[in-house]
Amino acid sequence: MTQTSAAASQIRIASFNLYNFIAPPDAYYDFNNIYTQAQWQQKCDWIRRYLASHDPCVIGFQEVFSIEALQALLAEAGYPYFVTVDRPEVSDDFIYRHPVLALASKYPILSYEPCDIDQTVASVMGIAPGFQYSRLPLRATIALPHLGPCDCYLVHFKSKRAQFDPELAVTPDSGSEPAASQSDSLTIEKSEALFAIEAAAKWASSLIRGSEASLLRVAIARRRIDTRYPVILMGDFNDSLAGGVLSALVSEDSRLLGVLGEEAFQDYRLQDAYLLHERSEYSPTSVARAPTHYHLNRGEVIDYILLSNEFDPHNHQCLAQVSQYHTYDSHLINPQYDRDSHSTDHAPVMVSLKIRE
């Protein structure tokens, strides 16, 4: 095998939350949030170092405000193919909100489009008409070596942040003080209500996140019926796969198994690339999984790469195996200010897929 073909037999896929990628003098969310030129240069250099040292073949980005700046950076780094399906919201000509997703590849992108919502399924689920993804997912079909066309899906599901301000949902009691003074001096009863309403506001975000995951899974399944292409789903899920909210993505419990059979289920399922690596011949002695994000000093895995049965070595349709799984987290657990102060608050994750001979 030549050096070129040996390199092509390892396909590296990465997911990378950039954390407010926006070029000055534009601002993110508020007019005060503007990088200096030095800070912006540091952020771009950090991304360049990651790309140079890990060399992913396909990489999905979240939290992109400056689309053209990212595309130029990636072109310089050797990624001639770049797509996005949405634009951020801009107010006052320089304040950006609602960042978007972008996908870059060293291999040709054959087609791409935003992921749609099956309104019939959404209606049966009890979702109100007009429901939209909080960040529009994209699907890009990429011509990967030895695999052929592969459908790569990129997502950034709804965050855990409360869906609404709890104080806005408090209904003043008859004869009580005006609403403005209520917020200045909360009674114990009102405080108790606010705690409960805050919990409801967070659950509202969970409902959105779970609905996004379920509806995307339907879109992936419908596309797979039409194409039979291998599937890669990656991104910032903003939740653990172990919880019930995202269970639709990797669920193995189905009453349809007895009717449709195991083979049909295998064609449908998606699996966590980390677990596929753990069960592969390439896995070292099992170690604890590294978190991809920290909140209040508590680590959690919320960035994932999911794969279809073409990457499961125990499936007869297997075309490639997960030979490596890497979480790049040195900037989170042992940061160096000069290098990492304007990097990202997530750990990029990457898998290497070794083509079966």
Side-chain angles (χ1 to χ4, degrees):
M1 181 180 288
T2 66
Q3 184 175 358
T4 301
S5 61
S9 69
Q10 292 275 356
I11 301 171
R12 294 170 300 281
I13 310 292
S15 177
F16 190 160
N17 185 314
L18 291 170
Y19 187 55
N20 298 324
F21 184 86
I22 186 166
D26 293 326
Y28 56 95
Y29 302 116
D30 185 86
F31 69 92
N32 288 321
N33 295 329
I34 302 175
Y35 295 124
T36 66
Q37 284 296 335
Q39 291 169 339
W40 173 244
Q41 186 66 46
Q42 186 180 32
K43 188 173 187 69
C44 292
D45 286 346
W46 196 93
I47 297 168
R48 291 187 181 98
R49 284 194 297 271
Y50 175 82
L51 296 174
S53 60
H54 294 82
D55 194 29
C57 306
V58 176
I59 183 165
F61 296 99
Q62 303 90 47
E63 294 204 30
V64 180
F65 287 112
S66 296
I67 296 172
E68 290 76 14
L70 180 60
Q71 184 173 9
L73 185 157
L74 290 163
E76 293 173 1
Y79 295 84
Y81 305 99
F82 178 93
V83 296
T84 186
V85 294
D86 204 2
R87 304 288 302 186
E89 177 186 301
V90 186
S91 61
D92 298 324
D93 295 327
F94 77 103
I95 302 176
Y96 282 62
R97 297 180 178 86
H98 303 298
V100 301
L101 310 173
L103 187 141
S105 173
K106 294 188 173 185
Y107 301 115
I109 296 176
L110 305 177
S111 66
Y112 67 95
E113 64 181 6
C115 297
D116 58 6
I117 291 175
D118 188 316
Q119 294 296 337
T120 300
V121 174
S123 176
V124 174
M125 290 172 62
I127 296 173
F131 177 85
Q132 298 294 326
Y133 294 107
S134 51
R135 290 102 169 180
L136 188 60
L138 70 83
R139 188 270 306 157
T141 302
I142 304 176
L144 295 179
H146 305 284
L147 294 177
C150 183
D151 281 339
C152 295
Y153 293 84
L154 179 60
V155 300
H156 187 180
F157 291 137
K158 179 70 176 71
S159 73
K160 292 182 179 179
R161 189 177 297 109
Q163 179 63 10
F164 53 85
D165 182 351
E167 291 192 24
L168 297 180
V170 174
T171 302
D173 295 330
S174 177
S176 62
E177 303 175 36
S181 61
Q182 286 179 17
S183 61
D184 294 334
S185 56
L186 295 171
T187 64
I188 293 177
E189 290 80 9
K190 290 170 187 170
S191 298
E192 290 174 347
L194 279 174
F195 284 122
I197 295 170
E198 181 188 42
K202 290 181 178 180
W203 177 242
S205 293
S206 297
L207 288 173
I208 294 172
R209 188 164 56 256
S211 297
E212 290 176 337
S214 298
L215 291 168
L216 180 66
R217 191 67 189 87
V218 172
I220 293 173
R222 296 214 188 283
R223 166 78 178 178
R224 188 158 162 83
I225 290 170
D226 292 337
T227 68
R228 312 311 303 170
Y229 293 159
V231 173
I232 298 171
L233 168 60
M234 58 182 161
D236 178 357
F237 288 18
N238 264 317
D239 212 333
S240 169
L241 279 177
V245 173
L246 300 182
S247 62
L249 293 173
V250 292
S251 175
E252 298 186 7
D253 179 22
S254 173
R255 65 177 181 82
L256 297 175
L257 272 170
V259 178
L260 300 178
E262 181 67 25
E263 185 170 349
F265 175 73
Q266 294 298 327
D267 285 342
Y268 154 84
R269 77 188 303 202
L270 294 174
Q271 298 182 73
D272 185 351
Y274 175 85
L275 298 180
L276 286 174
H277 179 246
E278 287 280 284
R279 298 196 296 265
S280 77
E281 61 184 284
Y282 301 100
S283 178
T285 303
S286 182
V287 294
R289 188 173 191 173
T292 67
H293 185 262
Y294 289 84
H295 178 67
L296 302 177
N297 296 321
R298 183 175 65 86
E300 54 187 349
V301 179
I302 60 175
D303 300 84
Y304 290 93
I305 299 174
L306 306 186
L307 303 170
S308 59
N309 63 318
E310 285 85 357
F311 306 98
D312 182 354
H314 302 293
N315 190 285
H316 70 278
Q317 296 185 39
C318 180
L319 301 175
Q321 297 187 53
V322 182
S323 59
Q324 293 182 5
Y325 186 99
H326 186 260
T327 303
Y328 185 67
D329 61 357
S330 63
H331 60 293
L332 299 179
I333 61 176
N334 187 28
Q336 298 179 23
Y337 183 82
D338 292 343
R339 181 191 66 191
D340 302 320
S341 61
H342 291 87
S343 53
T344 174
D345 61 344
H346 284 246
V349 294
M350 186 176 78
V351 297
S352 294
L353 306 174
K354 181 175 176 56
I355 303 299
R356 298 194 74 179
E357 300 178 359

